Amino acid sequence: MDIKSIIEKAVEESISAIAISDPKGKIVFVNKVFLRLWGYPSKEEVEGRNANEFWIPSENEKNGIDSLIKTGFYFGEFEAVKKNKSIWHGVAQFSISKSTSNEIQFILFNFLESSNRKRTSDTIRETENYYSQILDSISDFIICKDSNFKMTYVNQACADYLGQKKSDLIGTYDIPENKQEFIEEYHKIDSFVFKEGKQVKIEKEPHLGKDGLVRYFNTVKTPIRDQYGNINELVAVARDITDSEDILGKLKLIAEITSDYIYTANIIEGEIIADWSSGNLSKIVGYTVEDIGKIGGWIKIIHPDDLDLVGNRVSEIFQGKVGVSEYRVLSKSGEYVWIRDYSKPLYDEFGKLSRLIGASKNITIEKEVETKLKESNERFKASLEASLESIYFLSVVKDDHGTIIDFAFNEMNDKGVKNLGVPKEELIGKRICELYPINLENGFFEQYKHVFLTKQPLEQEYTIPDGYYTPGYFHHIVLPTTDGIVIYNRNISDRVAKNKELETLVQVTNRQNERLREYTYITSHNLRAPIANILSLCNLLKDDPGDQTLVQMIESSAQQLDHMMKNLNELLTIEKDSHSLVKKEIHLQQEIQNQLLLYVSDKSNHTKVDVIIPNDLFLYTIPVYFESIINNVLSNAFKYISNKSIGHIRIEAKLSEEFIILTISDNGIGIDLEKYRNKMFKMNSRFHPNIEGKGMGLFLTKYQIESLGGKIEVESEVDKGTSFHLYFPTIQKN
């Protein structure tokens, strides 16, 4: 219970009748005993009336209140008038209470019945004892002194602090252990109270405690007058504020750290009038509190655009609300300064709004940064919306154990919303893997997690399959942030399609170039045999112009040459779909016989050729490739026939599930496969330098038969002969 509550209870429960009035005698309070003695059932019938109505003044003092104002104190007998108009006799003690400015605040009336003087004296003693017990229960220190500064009373709290008995302290001259400079200051103030009769408040009075440490007290010293108005004693009420001072010091330090200046203001008749501020105020705005008062108040330097904002805050203050406001003030230098102002209204002991405390900070630089940041954000947002990419900002989602379990959408641009096909309000705050499980299925979630944990960006291209809102090809960049990731997505389907088209054109061009090269090789290589054959036959015809057999052979060679040229023209023809050359069905045995007609030479005349091919065997293939392959293998067979023996070439065909296997064998000079196997089908590879050749035939043969989906194999022994096995796929016409 605080001191005010204790005093209220003591007054209410007192055995004396007590009344309190304002300086003009209007009663504002009476206790229960007063109502009983005067015979009134309720306080409402008494409070508000003048005190002179309740007693009969003596002949000498017609008005007790006027007498009290003159002397400041009254004690004596009196006659009281009850409610029923009856008279009773009693003893009264009146005293007045003044403020520090010596103005009367209230008048205290204390009444006792005087029917028995002894009973009255006993009652007074009982009253003193009662009040003494009350004062001993108070934690504040209470000391009474006479005009010689000797203690006439101390309460128990004071005695406990000094470590002595109450009886041992009464009559002593202050505290001998105290510092002399402190004692001199006490006596100086005590002398003023006795001389001027005024109450004095000391905000911070030092005192040397029994432990040798200085403590500080908030002390109020009040003069005590006797019934004649003389001041013979004073009472000092002191409260230990040492710990509060420590706290206050810490609060001041915190205020200095968190605020640039602190201030206080009075609230008087609807106006807020600053009365104090810490020194930094003048450093920030160039004005002191006094300067601001002279120019008409703080309102005079507030930016016009911020007056409504400040006005709203003032309205909140008058409603008792604590709050923060930010506004600009014009400094003495002519520049506007941004202020962040925290303010708290305070109430007096009667519950009336009376004071304001606040702490303010110069936030000009902070506001400039905020403005630049806002501009930067606006530029960023504009760039975000103008971006060609879909952009998503996602934050990490963790479980109770701190494990990353998903990423949630925080922000995205309009292109990103359009790409996902879901309204933005349905995306913000939602988890990406819950909305789009494909991120788990295709491993994106693990990649996102790796980016966040390692802070290593990710860049890749991927495909969204059909069945999703936006299928196609995408370019994907994932960057780490402090709390998640940023995803940049660009749809590159058009680019991929164009690249594929370009690749197709490149492939067509490459095939065209390959065919042109083949044309060159075939033209230079394969046409030599029929042309040489025609030239040889023409020379023979010169010797015997009438030989019809030679003429028929020349005609056959010419037809074969014409047939070969048509196939070469087909090689150069690129079909619209650019997939393959035209394939045709050929009669295998007949085609081999046609090729054999091209070889007319001394060696061919002495070479036996056996063709063992079923008459019903057909091959579906590219004719020009087939002719080139057979021509190259047969030309080598005739070319490398040994001069030491009769030549023998054997051509036979077999049919398997996958291939038609055509084998061309000779008994020629053969090839050292241990030495040349790895070079067998390389370009410009020649194994018999003494025999004319370009080293292109077998290279071209291998390339062409593999292009058809087949393969070529060779068996050979030096001076025994060579066999080439040609595998042609058994692809049907349909």
Side-chain angles (χ1 to χ4, degrees):
M1 185 179 293
D2 58 20
I3 217 174
K4 182 179 178 183
S5 300
I6 292 174
I7 292 174
E8 287 178 353
K9 182 174 178 59
V11 171
E12 191 65 47
E13 300 297 330
S14 174
I15 61 172
S16 301
I18 296 175
I20 300 174
S21 77
D22 66 11
K24 293 182 180 180
K26 180 181 177 181
I27 295 176
V28 295
F29 172 82
V30 292
N31 68 350
K32 296 176 182 177
V33 178
F34 185 97
L35 296 175
R36 179 176 58 78
L37 289 178
W38 266 265
Y40 288 93
S42 67
K43 293 182 179 182
E44 287 75 12
E45 294 186 57
V46 177
E47 292 177 353
R49 294 169 61 180
N50 193 284
N52 286 328
E53 299 179 30
F54 294 89
W55 66 80
I56 302 172
S58 64
E59 292 296 328
N60 297 330
E61 299 291 347
K62 295 296 182 183
N63 191 320
I65 301 299
D66 292 339
S67 172
L68 184 63
I69 292 173
K70 291 178 183 178
T71 62
F73 185 82
Y74 172 80
F75 180 80
E77 296 183 352
F78 79 109
E79 292 182 329
V81 181
K82 292 187 176 184
K83 182 180 180 180
N84 59 9
K85 305 302 182 181
S86 62
I87 305 299
W88 68 274
H89 296 274
V91 178
Q93 178 179 311
F94 304 163
S95 62
I96 61 174
S97 173
K98 294 184 178 181
S99 67
T100 54
S101 58
N102 207 32
E103 295 179 355
I104 297 175
Q105 290 181 311
F106 58 84
I107 303 172
L108 177 65
F109 304 90
N110 194 350
F111 306 96
L112 282 173
E113 290 183 281
S114 60
S115 57
N116 188 318
R117 300 290 293 183
K118 183 178 184 302
R119 182 172 178 275
T120 300
S121 299
D122 292 341
T123 301
I124 291 175
R125 282 196 296 273
E126 289 175 3
T127 301
E128 289 178 352
N129 183 56
Y130 178 74
Y131 279 117
S132 178
Q133 291 180 46
I134 291 176
L135 294 177
D136 282 342
S137 68
I138 296 173
S139 59
D140 292 338
F141 301 165
I142 299 176
I143 303 173
C144 294
K145 295 182 183 179
D146 62 17
S147 57
N148 295 319
F149 311 133
K150 289 185 178 180
M151 288 185 282
T152 59
Y153 173 82
V154 296
N155 70 343
Q156 191 61 47
C158 180
D160 291 342
Y161 172 75
L162 297 174
Q164 298 186 46
K165 294 180 180 180
K166 290 170 61 175
S167 56
D168 293 339
L169 288 171
I170 294 174
T172 60
Y173 180 79
D174 275 315
I175 292 75
E177 295 83 4
N178 214 337
K179 285 188 176 183
Q180 187 61 34
E181 57 191 270
F182 294 168
I183 294 175
E184 290 175 359
E185 185 64 24
Y186 303 157
H187 292 173
K188 181 178 177 182
I189 297 172
D190 293 346
S191 297
F192 176 84
V193 172
F194 280 112
K195 182 178 179 181
E196 301 295 330
K198 295 180 180 180
Q199 185 183 78
V200 177
K201 294 181 180 180
I202 303 101
E203 296 293 336
K204 192 176 179 180
E205 185 179 59
H207 185 278
L208 184 65
K210 59 184 179 181
D211 54 5
L213 299 177
V214 176
R215 301 189 69 81
Y216 296 93
F217 294 82
N218 186 315
T219 305
V220 177
K221 296 186 177 183
T222 306
I224 301 175
R225 300 177 183 271
D226 61 15
Q227 65 266 33
Y228 306 108
N230 299 319
I231 302 173
N232 297 319
E233 289 182 286
L234 65 79
V235 57
V237 179
R239 175 170 294 180
D240 191 340
I241 60 169
T242 308
D243 295 336
S244 299
E245 282 294 308
D246 290 341
I247 294 172
L248 182 61
K250 292 174 183 176
L251 289 176
K252 287 182 177 179
L253 178 60
I254 293 171
E256 290 175 2
I257 294 173
T258 57
S259 308
D260 288 333
Y261 66 90
I262 53 178
Y263 65 91
T264 60
N266 291 315
I267 299 177
I268 302 173
E269 296 181 354
E271 287 190 40
I272 300 174
I273 303 171
D275 63 349
W276 174 84
S277 174
S278 57
N280 277 345
L281 171 66
S282 60
K283 292 181 181 179
I284 294 170
V285 299
Y287 296 104
T288 62
V289 172
E290 291 76 15
D291 294 336
I292 292 172
K294 291 176 183 177
I295 63 175
W298 189 254
I299 198 74
K300 294 294 184 180
I301 61 173
I302 294 174
H303 194 290
D305 294 345
D306 298 336
L307 285 172
D308 288 344
L309 187 150
V310 174
N312 291 336
R313 177 62 196 131
V314 170
S315 298
E316 290 179 349
I317 289 171
F318 287 124
Q319 295 172 25
K321 295 180 180 178
V322 177
V324 180
S325 57
E326 294 180 358
Y327 54 87
R328 290 161 288 181
V329 296
L330 184 65
S331 67
K332 199 170 185 178
S333 64
E335 297 178 352
Y336 276 102
V337 177
W338 274 98
I339 299 295
R340 179 180 292 130
D341 184 19
Y342 168 87
S343 53
K344 179 180 181 180
L346 301 175
Y347 294 86
D348 62 15
E349 58 192 17
F350 303 106
K352 181 181 178 183
L353 195 66
S354 61
R355 299 277 291 165
L356 183 71
I357 60 172
S360 297
K361 190 173 183 65
N362 182 355
I363 59 169
T364 305
I365 296 177
E366 183 179 326
K367 281 291 183 180
E368 290 174 353
V369 172
E370 182 181 314
T371 301
K372 291 178 180 178
L373 183 59
K374 185 177 180 181
E375 293 173 353
S376 177
N377 285 339
E378 292 300 324
R379 287 194 294 270
F380 173 72
K381 288 181 180 178
S383 302
L384 199 66
E385 295 306 331
S387 174
L388 296 175
E389 289 91 357
S390 300
I391 303 176
Y392 309 95
F393 295 83
L394 298 105
S395 60
V396 167
V397 178
K398 298 181 179 180
D399 62 14
D400 295 338
H401 304 291
T403 302
I404 299 174
I405 58 173
D406 210 333
F407 290 85
F409 288 105
N410 287 339
E411 187 56 79
M412 63 203 66
N413 62 355
D414 290 342
K415 195 169 185 68
V417 174
K418 184 177 179 181
N419 184 55
L420 295 179
V422 179
K424 187 173 182 179
E425 57 270 18
E426 295 181 20
L427 291 171
I428 299 299
K430 301 295 174 42
R431 299 181 183 183
I432 189 170
C433 292
E434 285 186 356
L435 290 178
Y436 303 100
I438 190 175
N439 288 282
L440 286 172
E441 296 163 7
N442 61 14
F444 279 172
F445 170 66
E446 292 300 327
Q447 292 176 344
Y448 298 159
K449 190 162 63 170
H450 184 264
V451 168
F452 175 74
L453 294 174
T454 64
K455 304 304 179 187
Q456 296 298 317
L458 167 69
E459 184 171 2
Q460 64 182 357
E461 293 182 0
Y462 67 96
T463 304
I464 294 181
D466 292 336
Y468 287 89
Y469 183 75
T470 52
Y473 298 93
F474 292 84
H475 183 252
H476 196 54
I477 298 177
V478 185
L479 300 176
T481 63
T482 55
D483 63 345
I485 56 173
V486 181
I487 299 176
Y488 295 82
N489 246 358
R490 176 179 288 188
N491 191 326
I492 57 171
S493 298
D494 292 341
R495 191 191 79 187
V496 170
K498 289 179 180 179
N499 285 345
K500 286 187 175 181
E501 184 180 342
L502 181 60
E503 287 175 5
T504 301
L505 291 175
V506 170
Q507 290 173 2
V508 170
T509 304
N510 288 338
R511 286 200 297 269
Q512 178 80 355
N513 290 337
E514 289 171 3
R515 288 169 186 165
L516 287 172
R517 283 196 297 271
E518 291 177 44
Y519 180 82
T520 302
Y521 295 149
I522 295 171
T523 302
S524 63
H525 189 277
N526 293 10
L527 295 184
R528 283 183 298 168
I531 291 173
N533 197 32
I534 292 173
L535 291 174
S536 298
L537 292 171
C538 287
N539 288 332
L540 292 173
L541 193 58
K542 287 178 183 179
D543 296 336
D544 187 1
D547 191 341
Q548 290 301 310
T549 302
L550 292 174
V551 173
Q552 291 175 359
M553 292 177 68
I554 291 173
E555 183 181 3
S556 176
S557 295
Q559 289 175 352
Q560 187 69 19
L561 182 60
D562 179 62
H563 178 69
M564 187 175 293
M565 289 302 298
K566 288 179 182 179
N567 287 339
L568 286 172
N569 287 334
E570 286 187 9
L571 180 65
L572 295 176
T573 302
I574 304 297
E575 297 296 327
K576 290 182 180 179
D577 61 5
S578 301
H579 289 312
S580 64
L581 294 170
V582 177
K583 292 181 179 181
K584 293 182 180 180
E585 189 177 65
I586 63 172
H587 187 269
L588 192 57
Q589 186 188 85
Q590 184 180 339
E591 191 65 35
I592 294 297
Q593 294 292 352
N594 289 339
Q595 292 295 320
L596 288 172
L597 290 175
L598 297 175
Y599 295 95
V600 179
S601 65
D602 293 339
K603 286 187 176 182
S604 63
N605 291 334
H606 297 86
T607 301
K608 180 184 177 182
V609 178
D610 294 327
V611 178
I612 307 170
I613 298 175
N615 191 45
D616 60 350
L617 196 56
F618 290 86
L619 180 64
Y620 192 65
T621 188
I622 300 172
V624 67
Y625 276 10
F626 181 80
E627 290 172 1
S628 178
I629 292 166
I630 300 304
N631 183 276
N632 282 322
V633 177
L634 282 177
S635 67
N636 282 343
F638 281 107
K639 186 189 297 184
Y640 295 111
I641 291 295
S642 175
N643 293 325
K644 299 178 182 180
S645 60
I646 300 299
H648 183 204
I649 297 175
R650 179 184 175 88
I651 303 172
E652 61 181 326
K654 293 181 182 180
L655 182 63
S656 70
E657 290 184 5
E658 297 182 49
F659 300 100
I660 293 175
I661 305 168
L662 189 64
T663 301
I664 301 175
S665 303
D666 65 65
N667 62 342
I669 62 177
I671 303 169
D672 185 352
L673 291 181
E674 291 186 4
K675 184 176 181 180
Y676 296 113
R677 185 179 293 276
N678 292 334
K679 297 181 179 180
M680 194 73 194
F681 300 103
K682 296 289 182 66
M683 188 183 291
N684 300 323
S685 295
R686 298 185 66 235
F687 314 114
H688 303 287
N690 56 326
I691 299 176
E692 183 182 356
K694 299 293 185 182
M696 292 295 295
L698 290 178
F699 167 76
L700 189 59
T701 298
K702 185 175 186 296
Y703 170 78
Q704 290 170 334
I705 197 168
E706 288 179 351
S707 297
L708 294 171
K711 61 183 178 178
I712 182 171
E713 294 176 353
V714 61
E715 297 179 41
S716 184
E717 289 187 49
V718 178
D719 294 333
K720 288 186 179 182
T722 302
S723 293
F724 284 94
H725 305 288
L726 306 173
Y727 292 77
F728 294 95
T730 56
I731 301 174
Q732 299 303 313
K733 190 173 183 178
N734 60 354

